[in-house]
Amino acid sequence: MKIIVRLVTLFFTNVVISSQSVDVEQIIDSAQRSDPTVLDQNAFNSATSYQARARNNAKFYAQDLPDEQQLRNYYVLSCIYLSTNGVSNPRTQELIPQGARVSSWNNTSEWIINNNYCEWYGITCDNDKNVVEIDFFNNNLSGNWPNEVALLGDQLEKLELFSNKFLYSEEPKWLLRMSSLKYLFFGGTSFTANGVSPYLRGCVNLRELDISNSGWTNGPIRQESFEPLTQLEYLDLGENTYDTTNGDLPDAIKYSNSIEYLYMDNVKFEPNQPDLGIISSMELLFETWNDFTSFSGGLPSSLGSISTLTSFSCTYCNLSGPLPPELANSNLDRLWLYGNDLTGSIPSEWGTKLTRLRYLYLERNDLTGTIPSSLCDLKYTDPPLQLGVDCDMEDVNTCASCCGPECGHVPDEFVGNVGGIFCFSGNSLAEVKDVGLVRMADLQLGDLVKVSSNKFEPIYSFAHKNADIVSADYLKITTDIDRPPLEVSGDHMIVLASGKIVPASALQTNDILMTEIEEEVAVVRSIQSITRQGAFAPFTASGTIVVNGIVASNYIAYQQGSEYMKIGLMETPFSYHWIAHTFNSVHRLAVMLFGISIEESYTDDGISHWVDLPHKIFSLVLEQNNSILIAVLVVPAIAVFSAVSFVETTIMSNNPMILTVSCILLATAVVASRRFFSIKITKGK
């Protein structure tokens, strides 16, 4: 009712003061013409452009606003709404299935028809109705971020766009005019640029910047972009790839007198890997995390000259060499260095000078010797030091809080051979009907597990079930949904939002995955190699299962990174998911006829006997260099098992006539395959 009254009121207001509509149009036209460098001067030539529609909104809803500035603000915000709400762009065209609708914003409360834009969702104004903050965190924006935002450049202080995976911006000229902007976050979007855009130089008062896991990648980190940003305190460059052909970090970052927080986790510097000396001159640096980013060399002693440094993390960073005693001159209370190739002993100075140290994790390195007594003494402080080292160091039992695998990062010598990896880790979670989330290691035959949106099926077999073994080949796939990361072997197949089913090893950041919720997708944020205990691969009738919120196949790909089976250089139309599901029709048919067996048996490696022999034979066949031999062996088998699969389907249909026909087809397929083998083998001789 409130909306109807407002519309009626606005209609009659529009009639009474229609003479003012010309002024509204003139004001907005003047604003659009005010900056030819940034704003499209032909925007109003098309009546369907978002600018023309935003101007119409202003003429209808906002003509009674008291001044030109508020009218311009309404126009700019209306441009944002019309250009990013359920609008397609190159990213959505690439990742959303053809014909599918691009979904709208999650929250549009009060937008457009309420001319008091300060009451709109995500908008904060000051007392003069200036727009000082726009917060669209995870609001499902798409389309193209409009350059008209430049008209807010002298008032907007915070722009929060983080985790809007489909939001696109290819040439962000609007940044040139954002002189008042202090906080800019667009990590997890599809903003696109060749490295760090030079337009960033316009944000001269910027204090915090997050461009992590965005499309600002595959190019350099430019000096011209950061040189004017003399007040920058927080910088997140993580999960992108940067071109280091002509250098690594620009001097404007290396010698910054303002940066306190620097995050470069999971960054790829190509082709040249810098050393950690690139941060040694940041005299105010308080915290820096650089996990899974490879650096050349080791820990430079110059890091100790940063007296403000409190939190430092560089795990799996390819670091080598000794631990520098000079690091004790910093103010560290948190230090993570596990998963590197560091050598030598732990400096005693770390215990005597780093008295505030509360977290120190050094396991999975090549350190030797005794843990310094000064570090052991910190175990008795309040709060006590949490110390992780490798188990072969001396005094582990008396000084360390954990060692080796107890710290959660299993050393190579504990890595087992899983006998053919096609599984999830034991900690992965599946949803059991009427029970809730259950660890993979605790699932049982017959459990009704979720396989897709609102669909549950019983587990009829475990292709792999081994709670004791440890695999070094799991991938930890972190997405933007509120679920634990997916932990899966590289050959295991994952369902994309487009419906394609690909090996986990073929995934890349920003790929879109299918989730358990029909209208929700998950964007891959990072992919890391991890070690986990247990190997489990439950089988369901549909061939899929939801794990940690992601829809995954039950099966693996046998050729690395390939969705389809290849014979020689030729890619066949047979996907590995389809092949495996078809071959397992015999097992499913047996279960259908005789019930789920609670006595399923496994090899010493935990592989089901239903799977072990076919797995070995198929692997052996694909290893052959003779393409003709592979075709001779595989094609007839596919024909036979396709017929079995058809029988399975028809039995489920409970139609006797169809069942009779399917049995005839099965017999024909068997005879034909035997004839095929006979002809080929004879000709082979």
Side-chain angles (χ1 to χ4, degrees):
M1 180 62 68
K2 179 181 177 182
I3 293 176
I4 294 174
V5 171
R6 182 177 292 161
L7 287 172
V8 172
T9 303
L10 287 170
F11 173 76
F12 284 107
T13 301
N14 189 53
V15 173
V16 172
I17 57 174
S18 60
S19 61
Q20 295 183 16
S21 64
V22 175
D23 294 334
V24 170
E25 188 167 311
Q26 288 178 347
I27 290 169
I28 293 176
D29 286 0
S30 176
Q32 191 73 27
R33 293 194 302 268
S34 66
D35 194 345
T37 302
V38 174
L39 303 179
D40 183 0
Q41 300 301 288
N42 299 312
F44 299 126
N45 290 351
S46 170
T48 60
S49 70
Y50 70 81
Q51 296 97 334
R53 290 183 292 139
R55 183 177 63 179
N56 288 338
N57 283 345
K59 289 166 63 177
F60 188 76
Y61 297 114
Q63 58 182 313
D64 57 341
L65 290 176
D67 59 56
E68 294 185 10
Q69 182 63 53
Q70 291 187 38
L71 187 60
R72 283 196 297 270
N73 289 350
Y74 180 97
Y75 167 69
V76 172
L77 295 177
S78 187
C79 282
I80 293 175
Y81 180 86
L82 292 169
S83 64
T84 67
N85 187 15
V87 180
S88 179
N89 61 35
R91 187 66 174 157
T92 60
Q93 293 166 12
E94 175 188 357
L95 297 172
I96 294 181
Q98 188 174 4
R101 181 179 60 87
V102 179
S103 56
S104 303
W105 288 6
N106 294 332
N107 193 329
T108 59
S109 176
E110 297 293 331
W111 273 75
I112 304 301
I113 62 174
N114 178 2
N115 66 8
N116 184 3
Y117 51 81
C118 296
E119 296 180 354
W120 296 0
Y121 170 78
I123 303 302
T124 301
C125 299
D126 62 15
N127 292 333
D128 297 321
K129 300 287 187 178
N130 292 314
V131 179
V132 295
E133 180 177 329
I134 298 176
D135 187 347
F136 288 142
F137 175 82
N138 196 27
N139 200 40
N140 199 39
L141 275 65
S142 56
N144 292 268
W145 187 253
N147 279 323
E148 281 70 23
V149 175
L151 296 172
L152 301 178
D154 60 349
Q155 52 185 290
L156 188 64
E157 297 181 2
K158 179 179 179 180
L159 180 57
E160 171 64 270
L161 300 174
F162 191 87
S163 194
N164 286 281
K165 53 201 168 195
F166 293 128
L167 182 59
Y168 192 75
S169 177
E170 187 171 18
E171 193 172 7
K173 293 181 179 179
W174 56 276
L175 287 170
L176 290 171
R177 303 294 182 256
M178 307 308 292
S179 58
S180 293
L181 198 61
K182 297 178 181 178
Y183 308 97
L184 175 59
F185 310 110
F186 60 85
T189 68
S190 292
F191 275 32
T192 301
N194 178 28
V196 178
S197 173
Y199 295 128
L200 185 64
R201 66 183 184 273
C203 305
V204 293
N205 286 304
L206 204 61
R207 296 178 183 175
E208 297 188 10
L209 174 64
D210 186 342
I211 64 173
S212 62
N213 196 23
S214 66
W216 280 27
T217 187
N218 297 318
I221 305 175
R222 292 177 172 85
Q223 170 74 9
E224 63 180 303
S225 303
F226 286 95
E227 193 166 21
L229 278 53
T230 57
Q231 301 180 61
L232 191 64
E233 300 171 355
Y234 176 105
L235 177 60
D236 192 338
L237 299 168
E239 300 183 66
N240 288 319
T241 299
Y242 299 111
D243 184 359
T244 56
T245 302
N246 298 316
D248 36 63
L249 293 183
D251 289 349
I253 296 179
K254 285 183 182 179
Y255 302 103
S256 170
N257 293 320
S258 61
I259 293 179
E260 299 178 14
Y261 299 86
L262 176 65
Y263 303 100
M264 298 189 295
D265 55 295
N266 207 27
V267 167
K268 291 183 180 179
F269 290 110
E270 296 178 343
N272 305 312
Q273 296 175 350
D275 61 64
L276 278 171
I278 60 176
I279 65 174
S280 297
S281 298
M282 300 180 189
E283 57 184 32
L284 295 181
L285 192 62
F286 177 84
E287 178 174 87
T288 179
W289 295 349
N290 309 284
D291 307 301
F292 296 96
T293 298
S294 290
F295 294 92
S296 62
L299 283 170
S301 59
S302 54
L303 287 177
S305 64
I306 310 177
S307 60
T308 56
L309 187 60
T310 301
S311 176
F312 183 91
S313 183
C314 202
T315 62
Y316 298 97
C317 289
N318 198 38
L319 300 178
S320 58
L323 300 173
E326 294 83 356
L327 204 57
N329 296 326
S330 66
N331 200 31
L332 283 168
D333 63 15
R334 288 156 287 170
L335 179 59
W336 296 273
L337 292 170
Y338 58 79
N340 289 293
D341 296 311
L342 298 167
T343 56
S345 59
I346 304 175
S348 59
E349 292 89 341
W350 285 18
T352 56
K353 293 185 177 182
L354 293 176
T355 55
R356 298 178 64 252
L357 201 58
R358 295 297 173 258
Y359 299 95
L360 176 60
Y361 288 95
L362 302 171
E363 72 273 14
R364 206 169 187 186
N365 281 288
D366 294 320
L367 300 174
T368 57
T370 303
I371 301 173
S373 59
S374 54
L375 274 179
C376 294
D377 292 341
L378 295 180
K379 184 178 180 180
Y380 303 101
T381 58
D382 185 20
L385 170 66
Q386 302 296 313
L387 174 62
V389 295
D390 285 330
C391 295
D392 55 358
M393 292 197 71
E394 299 177 26
D395 297 328
V396 166
N397 294 332
T398 57
C399 290
S401 308
C402 64
C403 74
E406 296 175 1
C407 301
H409 305 275
V410 183
D412 290 334
E413 58 265 31
F414 287 91
V415 174
N417 177 9
V418 297
I421 303 172
F422 42 107
C423 41
F424 302 99
S425 71
N427 289 328
S428 298
L429 298 173
E431 183 177 346
V432 177
K433 190 173 183 179
D434 299 328
V435 175
L437 295 176
V438 176
R439 292 175 65 249
M440 194 68 64
D442 297 327
L443 291 176
Q444 303 294 326
L445 289 174
D447 282 347
L448 285 170
V449 294
K450 181 177 280 191
V451 297
S452 62
S453 178
N454 298 319
K455 183 178 180 182
F456 293 83
E457 293 176 352
I459 297 173
Y460 71 84
S461 177
F462 282 91
H464 209 151
K465 191 175 186 182
N466 191 327
D468 300 320
I469 206 145
V470 176
S471 168
D473 294 327
Y474 283 121
L475 297 178
K476 178 182 178 182
I477 301 171
T478 303
T479 68
D480 64 341
I481 63 172
D482 186 21
R483 305 287 192 284
L486 179 65
E487 297 177 354
V488 62
S489 56
D491 289 337
H492 208 103
M493 305 189 77
I494 307 298
V495 183
L496 301 182
S498 63
K500 292 183 64 176
I501 305 177
V502 302
S505 60
L507 293 177
Q508 299 179 359
T509 55
N510 292 323
D511 279 346
I512 310 296
L513 309 183
M514 185 179 292
T515 72
E516 61 184 324
I517 301 174
E518 190 169 356
E519 295 185 355
E520 179 185 84
V521 295
V523 178
V524 176
R525 291 307 184 205
S526 65
I527 303 173
Q528 302 166 353
S529 298
I530 59 169
T531 56
R532 287 291 186 265
Q533 181 137 2
F536 300 88
F539 276 4
T540 62
S542 63
T544 62
I545 184 171
V546 174
V547 180
N548 290 7
I550 304 298
V551 180
S553 169
N554 292 168
Y555 313 118
I556 64 165
Y558 281 79
Q559 292 165 318
Q560 187 168 0
S562 177
E563 174 188 359
Y564 295 95
M565 185 181 74
K566 295 179 180 179
I567 298 178
L569 298 177
M570 182 187 73
E571 185 174 83
T572 72
F574 305 119
S575 74
Y576 278 113
H577 175 83
W578 179 86
I579 291 173
H581 195 62
T582 301
F583 272 57
N584 275 284
S585 59
V586 174
H587 191 179
R588 290 194 301 275
L589 196 56
V591 169
M592 192 182 305
L593 296 174
F594 305 110
I596 295 175
S597 172
I598 60 174
E599 301 295 335
E600 186 174 54
S601 59
Y602 304 93
T603 68
D604 291 341
D605 291 321
I607 300 176
S608 167
H609 284 110
W610 278 98
V611 173
D612 184 48
L613 184 58
H615 167 66
K616 290 177 178 177
I617 292 174
F618 195 58
S619 299
L620 180 63
V621 169
L622 292 180
E623 289 172 2
Q624 306 307 307
N625 294 322
N626 191 324
S627 300
I628 296 177
L629 178 61
I630 295 175
V632 166
L633 295 174
V634 171
V635 172
I638 289 177
V640 171
F641 284 98
S642 296
V644 175
S645 180
F646 183 72
V647 171
E648 174 199 5
T649 304
T650 53
I651 289 178
M652 293 178 65
S653 72
N654 294 318
N655 189 317
M657 182 174 295
I658 297 178
L659 178 59
T660 301
V661 173
S662 65
C663 289
I664 294 172
L665 289 175
L666 175 59
T668 303
V670 171
V671 172
S673 65
R674 292 182 62 183
R675 177 64 178 164
F676 183 88
F677 272 117
S678 175
I679 292 173
K680 290 296 182 182
I681 293 174
T682 302
K683 286 186 176 180
K685 292 181 179 179

